[in-house]
Amino acid sequence: MEKKLNELEEAVRAAAAIDYNSYEKNLARERLATLDEDDMAGEQRETFKRNAVARPSTPGHEGALLKHDGLTLYTLIIYSENYAGILNQITAVFTRRQVNIESLNVCSSSTPGVHKYTITCYCKQEMAEMLVKQIEKKIDVLQANCFVDDEIFILETSLLKLSTPMVLANPEISRIVRRFDAQIVEVNTTFTIVEKTGITDDVMSHFNQLNALGCVLQFVRSGRIAVTKSCIERLDQYLTKRAAEQKTE
């Protein structure tokens, strides 16, 4: 009997050692250590200087949080002809003014041959208006507009890779997933994949609450997609006006 108990204890220790040295556990420990170093070094901050967002000269660790003091998150919706190289021209406008792009989404629009770019960035109103004017000067750009969050309908999608053993051991993790109406799309003995779609604040709140429990192995979110609250698409108004002007010429 004693021999069997000893064998059981050895088996438990061996299983625990494998679990402790697993890739996911090591990844989680390294991530927590990095965040601890960031806390000790202080938070990175973005400041507004000469109409540009200036980052600290020394880059922080991956995962450090950036503060956007005095800046507003603007969403730029841009329409252009579907030609190669236009994306590079648009992003160059941000680069020249040292404005960091937070997210970028490119897709075909409802108008044939026209692509839609949805770009978010932190800046002041004067800078957002300047970016729009400079982008519209590009030959192949049809229209550009900037909006704050109250003026548009927005959505983002995120994927979280959670540690399955921690999900099973801590019921609070499942409660958070259900509370935010997230979907579990994959489960195995090692990890669980959770999908969350919603506005930016909900996506980030969902991540922050799960991350506080130390169960997040990986996190990624998509670029923002957005539509305006106006009844008529602004691009359609522009194209109608341009067609009328061409007829009168």
Side-chain angles (χ1 to χ4, degrees), residues 7-222:
E7 291 176 353
L8 179 61
E9 288 180 2
E10 290 177 2
V12 170
R13 290 195 194 96
I18 294 174
D19 185 54
Y20 181 82
N21 293 318
S22 66
Y23 171 77
E24 286 76 15
K25 289 294 181 66
N26 286 329
L27 184 65
R29 281 194 292 273
E30 290 175 5
R31 190 167 181 275
L32 289 174
T34 300
L35 293 176
D36 289 340
E37 291 180 21
D38 291 333
D39 291 337
M40 292 175 63
E43 294 177 327
Q44 294 186 66
R45 290 182 174 270
E46 287 186 343
T47 56
F48 190 79
K49 183 179 181 181
R50 293 186 180 180
N51 289 331
V53 176
R55 291 183 178 273
S57 57
T58 304
H61 293 281
E62 183 181 359
L65 300 178
L66 296 174
K67 298 296 184 182
H68 307 278
D69 296 335
L71 304 177
T72 303
L73 181 64
Y74 281 92
T75 300
L76 279 69
I77 298 180
I78 304 158
Y79 294 94
S80 78
E81 303 284 355
N82 185 19
Y83 296 127
I86 298 179
L87 178 60
N88 184 53
Q89 296 179 39
I90 292 173
T91 56
V93 175
F94 292 83
T95 303
R96 283 197 297 269
R97 286 154 186 81
Q98 300 179 36
V99 177
N100 186 50
I101 293 176
E102 296 294 319
S103 67
L104 187 152
N105 179 277
V106 184
C107 64
S108 300
S109 71
S110 57
T111 304
V114 176
H115 265 47
K116 180 177 181 179
Y117 305 77
T118 306
I119 303 175
T120 62
C121 64
Y122 281 95
C123 61
K124 287 191 174 179
Q125 182 178 357
E126 297 85 356
M127 174 56 72
E129 293 172 354
M130 183 185 298
L131 290 170
V132 167
K133 290 178 182 178
Q134 293 299 315
I135 291 171
E136 282 194 325
K137 288 182 180 179
K138 303 299 179 183
I139 295 175
D140 297 317
V141 172
L142 300 174
Q143 189 182 59
N145 294 286
C146 62
F147 306 90
V148 294
D149 286 357
D150 292 340
E151 298 173 331
I152 52 178
F153 294 105
I154 59 177
L155 277 180
E156 291 183 6
T157 298
S158 68
L159 287 176
L160 298 99
K161 182 180 180 182
L162 310 181
S163 169
T164 299
M166 295 190 70
V167 172
L168 296 175
N170 190 349
E172 180 61 21
I173 297 174
S174 298
R175 283 195 285 268
I176 292 174
V177 171
R178 291 195 299 270
R179 191 183 308 141
F180 281 87
D181 293 327
Q183 283 188 312
I184 297 177
V185 295
E186 173 69 24
V187 179
N188 58 43
T189 56
T190 306
F191 59 82
T192 300
I193 303 298
V194 176
E195 174 193 346
K196 167 63 184 169
T197 299
I199 62 175
T200 306
D201 290 343
D202 286 349
V203 169
M204 293 308 300
S205 295
H206 180 237
F207 163 70
N208 290 332
Q209 291 192 27
L210 289 174
N211 191 48
L213 300 177
C215 62
V216 180
L217 302 176
Q218 293 181 31
F219 169 73
V220 65
R221 62 180 191 159
S222 68

